[in-house]
Amino acid sequence: MEIKIVSTTCPYCGTGCGLNLVVRDEKVVSVAAWQRHPVNEGKLCPKGRYAHEFIHRKDRLTKPLIKKDGKLVEASWDEAYELIASKLKSYKPEEMACLASARVSNEENYLLQKFARTVLKTPHVDHCARLCHASTVAGLAASFGSGAMTNNIHDIAESKCVFVLGSNTFEQHPLIGRSIIRAKQKGARIIVFDPRYTPTAKQADLYKSFYSGTDVAILNAMMQHIIKNGWEAKEYIEKRTKDYEKLKAVVMKPEYGLENVSGISGIPAKDIAMAAEWFATAPSACLLYSMGITQHTTGVDNVKSVANLLMLTGNIGKVGGGVNALRGQNNVQGACDMGCLPNVYSGYQKVIDEPAINKMKDAWGCDVAGGKIGYTVTEMMNILTEQPPKLKAIYIMGENPMVSDPDLKHVEHALKNLEFLVVQDIFLTETAQLADVVLPAACYAEKDGTQTSTERRVQRWHKAVNPPGEAKADWEILCELGRKMGFEKQFNFKSPEEIFNEVAKVTPSYGGMSYKRLEPEGLHWPCPTADHPGTPILHTQKFANPDGLGVFTPIEYKLPAEVTDAEYPFILTTGRCIWQWHTGSMTRRSPSLENEAPTGWIEINTDDAKALGIKNHEMVRAITRRGEVQVAARVTGEIRKNVMFMPFHYAECPANVLTNNALDPIAKIPEYKVCAVRVEKIKEA
């Protein structure tokens, strides 16, 4: 009996915790602590602790599948490649699209966008950042010149005031929650505004519930109160920013006065004032947010408002400060960095810039799709339902839009309108069941590579075991298919390390990185040269904008796309729980996690439930303008009156049947966090 320990990086949230896989007789049998890992120091949340349980499941995909007579049947790799190549060659470039994945490695995401832009010559490539942090990328890039978390995780512990807005950190990023506790132990004040009294809220010195979608009004009121009291960072504003007077002209309007915003948000005026004073007068203050800020039709506005508050108080570029946008999936930051977006190549080099196009042509040795911004995933779904001839084939790697995307009936209609769908994954997901070809992929424990965490830390994966049956690593599949389609030179990689070396050559922020340098603790980008130590804190001397200045953007408060009315009188918001993760394809196959939260629920305020005649655990019908689901009621005093909450992990009671696919006009992100709902007793029950 041989036992070995293999160090790698957790496959779940964006924190980037290190863990040790315990391998016995070529099976991963447990997860052990990696005590010296710089992020989590041997601690793990439940998902990380049980990150081995799905690896050797009997329902792993082990052979390619091809749909024949409406049924998926086993096929050889040659047969699958032959079919994919012949079908993709039959379409025009603009009729094809690719979806990359926040779950696979940097190397594999880089290859997929390269495959789209060289082999298929299509500009249409995107991934699920569109559904979580597209607003962050757009909003922070406009304000700071860079669309990523500004500080590192441990730096949060040095803050003297931590403001958590739109994040249930203790359930979604528990090991980042440790840094909040450390800050509190050192005397920091903790502010949490959330419609729900979450485990995170229970750690706050100041907690207030509010109506989802009123973030801009709250932030503008805080800024007005800060300016009225002279607490703004005058020297910082003068030396390091521009357009302050434009911001001031908006936030000082009477409608952003404390009393008026109290009426909009539901937070008492005195508590908005207290939060503003604590934040502005602290020696250092940081703000943590997640999808509670981004998943709105005003997502970019929300992010820019957060940036405004941090610049107003001089808290960008300093220890204990920063805008800390917490990324939801293990490699969603890396997938963005690798160019799995319709408007940029790797390193956020714009696809419409002639120098960037020429650079990629030279690096890749062929013509590329360039000069045109492609479709986002949300636009793809709309085109497929409204103008299906424009888009005929999609190649999906490691994504499950049939659970993750908003308005699932709309998504199902869209995907069924495709002529040809390829899905590459580790399980036969709800999306894979609709595919014409399914390719079996390796999971994180079965391959080498890198991933990039929410704090921009690029870290190694290490292969522990072989994939099951005939399954292959995503990078191997893409290389074999690329060569099959005539691009031998462009896809002639023998290892993930060779791919990473090409990434470093064409991606300035990764330019100084190598596998050797990433051992054992990783490096924070930007790391432009081989002797550069990496950059844990951004914007310490100047911002990433061409003139080095941060940009204030005046933002007016706007209503959500859908508001409550007599027919749909409650606000529905969605999110995650600590035991499950995203579409559940991994956690719901982990017995230890599934036993804790085996199905979904809808949280209903105690007074609302009483008025509706609904008892705790009773099955109810939740209905929006898009559809309805039957789900168990969870009656609680820990959610705001007139607000309801559902986790979105569960295919049997899918919250995203209900959610609104209205989009932010800039980021094209859907409004998951606010829609109008009604809840009814099930009469026949």
Side-chain angles (χ1 to χ4, degrees):
M1 181 176 70
E2 181 191 1
I3 294 178
K4 62 179 179 178
I5 304 293
V6 180
S7 297
T8 194
T9 310
C10 183
Y12 285 114
C13 84
T15 304
C17 296
L19 49 81
N20 285 324
L21 297 176
V22 181
V23 180
R24 185 174 64 212
D25 297 333
E26 297 307 310
K27 298 281 186 186
V28 182
V29 296
S30 184
V31 169
W34 181 352
Q35 301 289 1
R36 291 190 177 90
H37 192 272
V39 175
N40 55 308
E41 299 167 323
K43 308 293 189 296
L44 288 169
C45 81
K47 288 189 283 288
R49 174 63 188 85
Y50 299 111
H52 63 290
E53 290 190 342
F54 69 87
I55 295 171
H56 302 295
R57 286 274 304 203
K58 288 184 169 59
D59 58 346
R60 281 287 301 274
L61 292 168
T62 59
K63 287 179 72 75
L65 305 173
I66 290 175
K67 189 161 281 180
K68 295 179 179 178
D69 299 322
K71 291 185 178 180
L72 288 166
V73 297
E74 290 185 352
S76 69
W77 277 102
D78 285 343
E79 189 180 358
Y81 286 149
E82 192 65 46
L83 176 58
I84 294 169
S86 64
K87 292 291 284 186
L88 295 182
K89 285 177 180 178
S90 74
Y91 298 117
K92 298 174 184 174
E94 64 271 18
E95 294 174 339
M96 296 179 285
C98 292
L99 294 184
S101 175
R103 295 189 298 170
V104 308
S105 70
N106 286 322
E107 293 80 357
E108 290 161 335
N109 279 308
Y110 174 81
L111 279 191
L112 187 73
Q113 62 89 29
K114 181 179 180 180
F115 179 84
R117 288 167 168 141
T118 59
V119 179
L120 305 184
K121 299 290 190 291
T122 182
H124 308 318
V125 58
D126 203 10
H127 77 292
C128 72
R130 186 67 46 204
L131 309 176
C132 58
H133 273 285
S135 322
T136 292
V137 176
L140 294 187
S143 299
F144 303 155
S146 171
M149 181 169 167
T150 63
N151 290 50
N152 64 352
I153 292 167
H154 283 310
D155 190 62
I156 296 165
E158 305 307 315
S159 182
K160 298 306 175 189
C161 182
V162 180
F163 185 10
V164 183
L165 181 65
S167 169
N168 180 9
T169 315
F170 280 70
E171 288 200 75
Q172 314 319 338
H173 303 88
L175 275 298
I176 296 178
R178 287 182 79 223
S179 288
I180 298 175
I181 292 298
R182 285 174 166 171
K184 187 173 182 175
Q185 289 171 339
K186 294 178 183 180
R189 286 165 159 162
I190 313 299
I191 305 165
V192 179
F193 288 173
D194 195 299
R196 304 166 64 223
Y197 189 47
T198 64
T200 312
K202 290 170 185 174
Q203 305 299 323
D205 300 292
L206 173 63
Y207 163 72
K208 288 296 160 185
S209 68
F210 71 101
Y211 294 117
S212 186
T214 59
D215 307 85
V216 166
I218 294 165
L219 293 165
N220 280 356
M222 289 177 66
M223 288 187 276
Q224 182 181 118
H225 192 65
I226 289 166
I227 294 167
K228 278 185 174 179
N229 285 279
W231 296 326
E232 72 274 22
K234 297 175 182 66
E235 185 179 353
Y236 185 96
I237 292 166
E238 182 183 349
K239 290 183 177 178
R240 295 208 52 194
T241 70
K242 64 183 180 183
D243 295 342
Y244 170 64
E245 292 302 324
K246 292 179 182 177
L247 173 83
K248 191 173 176 181
V250 168
V251 301
M252 299 310 288
K253 289 181 177 181
E255 50 262 50
Y256 299 120
L258 296 176
E259 292 297 338
N260 198 55
V261 170
S262 176
I264 294 169
S265 66
I267 301 177
K270 65 180 177 58
D271 294 307
I272 301 174
M274 186 184 296
E277 181 175 358
W278 285 7
F279 198 84
T281 59
S284 60
C286 67
L287 191 146
L288 278 59
Y289 75 79
S290 191
M291 287 174 277
I293 282 286
T294 59
Q295 288 179 334
H296 295 269
T297 50
T298 56
V300 174
D301 284 355
N302 293 347
V303 171
K304 288 179 178 177
S305 293
V306 166
N308 288 340
L309 175 66
L310 272 291
M311 288 188 291
L312 182 72
T313 54
N315 277 300
I316 298 296
K318 67 190 289 187
V319 172
V323 172
N324 296 307
L326 307 182
R327 308 306 291 259
Q329 297 199 49
N330 59 312
N331 202 31
V332 68
Q333 182 65 58
C336 292
D337 297 346
M338 293 301 104
C340 296
L341 298 166
N343 60 328
V344 290
Y345 301 115
S346 65
Y348 308 96
Q349 300 168 94
K350 294 178 182 178
V351 298
I352 56 172
D353 285 358
E354 201 66 34
I357 296 169
N358 292 333
K359 175 181 176 178
M360 291 304 173
K361 280 183 181 177
D362 291 343
W364 292 340
C366 65
D367 285 336
V368 301
K372 180 183 177 183
I373 294 172
Y375 301 142
T376 64
V377 61
T378 44
E379 289 172 320
M380 290 175 201
M381 298 305 165
N382 289 338
I383 287 165
L384 282 169
T385 52
E386 296 160 14
Q387 303 168 283
K390 289 181 70 175
L391 202 55
K392 295 178 179 176
I394 296 184
Y395 193 115
I396 298 178
M397 175 177 69
E399 294 280 295
N400 189 13
M402 275 301 298
V403 178
S404 63
D405 288 25
D407 191 357
L408 289 179
K409 288 183 179 177
H410 173 75
V411 175
E412 184 176 12
H413 182 200
L415 293 178
K416 286 182 175 178
N417 275 346
L418 282 167
E419 290 184 13
F420 190 62
L421 174 62
V422 181
V423 174
Q424 186 169 308
D425 216 315
I426 61 175
F427 294 108
L428 190 67
T429 64
E430 290 78 6
T431 304
Q433 291 168 31
L434 300 179
D436 298 287
V437 182
V438 179
L439 302 177
C443 78
Y444 80 106
E446 297 157 353
K447 55 190 175 183
D448 291 305
T450 62
Q451 72 177 48
T452 306
S453 73
T454 188
E455 62 173 353
R456 297 170 285 104
R457 186 190 293 265
V458 184
Q459 300 182 94
R460 285 293 317 277
W461 279 351
H462 295 101
K463 182 177 177 178
V465 292
N466 290 319
E470 296 178 21
K472 300 182 181 187
D474 295 276
W475 70 268
E476 292 178 292
I477 298 170
L478 291 169
C479 283
E480 288 172 359
L481 186 57
R483 293 196 293 267
K484 177 78 176 178
M485 295 185 70
F487 287 77
E488 175 78 30
K489 180 183 170 188
Q490 288 76 15
F491 291 87
N492 195 30
F493 298 103
K494 301 295 188 292
S495 69
E497 185 171 10
E498 286 186 12
I499 303 166
F500 189 84
N501 291 340
E502 180 172 304
V503 169
K505 283 180 185 175
V506 300
T507 312
S509 54
Y510 284 60
M513 296 184 189
S514 64
Y515 271 24
K516 183 177 180 181
R517 288 200 72 200
L518 294 178
E519 300 285 7
E521 297 188 354
L523 289 164
H524 297 87
W525 68 254
C527 178
T529 59
D531 58 353
H532 194 285
T535 312
I537 300 176
L538 296 177
H539 318 306
T540 54
Q541 303 300 317
K542 60 182 181 177
F543 289 92
N545 291 313
D547 60 6
L549 300 177
V551 182
F552 282 110
T553 311
I555 303 292
E556 298 278 12
Y557 166 65
K558 302 180 188 76
L559 289 170
E562 185 174 85
V563 296
T564 57
D565 58 18
E567 189 177 2
Y568 301 97
F570 298 97
I571 296 169
L572 177 68
T573 189
T574 65
R576 292 171 285 172
C577 73
I578 193 169
W579 305 105
Q580 299 287 6
W581 191 69
H582 291 261
T583 69
S585 58
M586 298 190 300
T587 52
R588 300 202 69 189
R589 289 175 169 89
S590 172
S592 299
L593 299 172
E594 179 71 355
N595 289 343
E596 295 289 343
T599 193
W601 64 89
I602 185 165
E603 283 184 16
I604 305 175
N605 175 271
T606 308
D607 292 340
D608 291 332
K610 186 176 179 181
L612 294 166
I614 290 169
K615 295 183 174 66
N616 197 27
H617 305 311
E618 178 180 355
M619 291 299 291
V620 298
R621 187 178 287 115
I623 306 165
T624 69
R625 290 178 174 87
R626 289 151 295 282
E628 63 178 68
V629 297
Q630 292 191 14
V631 62
R634 183 176 287 186
V635 178
T636 174
E638 296 186 345
I639 190 167
R640 188 174 186 87
K641 198 175 176 184
N642 299 319
V643 178
M644 297 184 180
F645 166 85
M646 282 183 71
F648 65 86
H649 316 290
Y650 301 95
E652 71 274 17
C653 48
N656 283 327
V657 163
L658 306 174
T659 48
N660 193 359
N661 65 354
L663 304 180
D664 180 287
I666 297 170
K668 309 297 184 187
I669 193 169
E671 189 148 63
Y672 290 103
K673 291 298 186 242
V674 192
C675 69
V677 67
R678 74 172 183 267
V679 171
E680 299 174 349
K681 289 175 73 70
I682 298 173
K683 301 288 195 297
E684 54 269 29

